[in-house]
Amino acid sequence: MSFSWNLLLDIQDMWSYPYMVTAYRAGTVVAVLAALVGWFMVLRRQTFAGHTLSLVGFPGAAAAVWLGLGAATGYFAFCLAAAVVFAAVPARGRSGDSGESAVIGTVQAFALAAGMLFVSLFKGFLNSTTSLLFGSFLGITDGQVLALVVFAALALLVLAVIGRPLLFTSIDRDVARAHGVRTRALDVAFLLLLGASAAEVSQITGALLVFALLVLPPATAQRITARPAAGLLLSVVLGLLVVWVALFVAYYSPYPIGFWLTTFAFGLYALAVAGPAVRRVVAA
């Protein structure tokens, strides 16, 4: 596995291994799902909630493994339970964000402490913790890819149904409510969708890396364009670019994919932030 600088030959060599083809399939689905759900998350300024929902999957999976259940059961149980808790915060707390932030911070602290407790109770501390936190694109089965595709299709169908009113209420909640939009129901529906998406994606990326895909490509896209359709499309393109390049570089380097994924995603965001400033300096 040596890099030859002949990209076509290198890609052919990489894809000669079935596990890399499977990794690209899973990574593609994960990138699209995280980019679209994450775009709304960033627009609604719920990145703290998304971060906590990502982390909550860690104690959930650890508890499930300790009890002899499938990790997927724990991911979904804890992420959806946390989403319900966040949704229960009164609407007045959302306007100032203080009430919601306090609840989210409390859940996050408790979840991390509980996660370490469950991991310590399970005899397999080092390997188990690494897998739950950082996942593994290279150990994915065809069954997991199929389950991921089915879930992503259902999640994106739900997002398509609620997308228009969700966009309306995310931009101007009071005006949306005045036009008869059920803002409270949309809050709950989106948090449940965000929690379920974090739970599903965490099984591939781990509890920590899912947040990088949920926030960085969408945040970069929104830095570049404020148009919803263009922003959603750009978010998907950036997410795919980050995952595909990270998988390629990780295959030919000794460093883990998580490092490359977060580095490339952050690099694109930094360029989007610095670009306008550089242009202003040059123009002056």
Side-chain angles (χ1 to χ4, degrees):
M1 294 189 300
S2 58
F3 186 64
S4 69
W5 291 102
N6 183 332
L7 292 181
L8 181 59
L9 183 62
D10 290 332
I11 291 173
Q12 289 176 341
D13 173 65
M14 179 180 62
W15 283 352
S16 66
Y17 294 93
Y19 70 87
M20 286 304 301
V21 175
T22 303
Y24 265 85
R25 289 171 178 167
T28 297
V29 179
V30 163
V32 172
L33 176 62
L36 293 175
V37 175
W39 189 88
F40 282 96
M41 179 192 74
V42 174
L43 180 67
R44 293 170 61 82
R45 299 180 180 180
Q46 290 185 303
T47 51
F48 189 26
H51 178 52
T52 300
L53 288 172
S54 304
L55 293 180
V56 163
F58 163 57
V65 171
W66 173 50
L67 295 173
L69 304 174
T73 302
Y75 278 119
F76 275 99
F78 274 57
C79 287
L80 290 177
V84 170
V85 172
F86 299 163
V89 178
R92 63 177 181 276
R94 298 183 190 279
S95 61
D97 203 39
S98 58
E100 186 180 44
S101 295
V103 172
I104 293 173
T106 301
V107 170
Q108 183 178 120
F110 176 75
L112 290 173
M116 294 311 299
L117 171 64
F118 294 139
V119 168
S120 66
L121 292 173
F122 175 67
K123 309 304 180 183
F125 181 83
L126 197 57
N127 291 335
S128 177
T129 303
T130 301
S131 176
L132 296 179
L133 290 176
F134 300 101
S136 175
F137 274 95
L138 305 183
I140 305 168
T141 65
D142 291 336
Q144 285 179 302
V145 175
L146 178 59
L148 184 61
V149 169
V150 172
F151 174 84
L154 293 174
L156 295 182
L157 178 61
V158 172
L159 190 61
V161 171
I162 68 172
R164 190 177 182 85
L166 182 65
L167 177 63
F168 191 8
T169 191
S170 299
I171 294 173
D172 196 324
R173 185 183 183 86
D174 292 333
V175 174
R177 187 187 295 112
H179 280 75
V181 177
R182 300 177 61 185
T183 56
R184 183 62 173 166
L186 284 172
D187 290 341
V188 175
F190 180 72
L191 279 170
L192 290 174
L193 179 63
L194 180 59
S197 298
E200 182 63 33
V201 176
S202 292
Q203 298 175 59
I204 306 299
T205 64
L208 296 183
L209 297 185
V210 60
F211 184 65
L213 288 176
L214 277 171
V215 69
L216 285 172
T220 304
Q222 290 184 25
R223 278 279 181 176
I224 296 173
T225 177
R227 298 173 59 186
L232 286 166
L233 178 59
L234 182 58
S235 181
V236 170
V237 171
L238 293 175
L240 289 172
L241 180 64
V242 166
V243 171
W244 289 348
V245 173
L247 281 169
F248 178 79
V249 176
Y251 176 78
Y252 285 104
S253 77
Y255 306 111
I257 184 176
F259 166 75
W260 295 115
L261 190 149
T262 51
T263 298
F264 292 142
F266 175 75
L268 290 174
Y269 180 77
L271 287 174
V273 172
V278 172
R279 285 196 296 270
R280 285 195 296 269
V281 171
V282 171

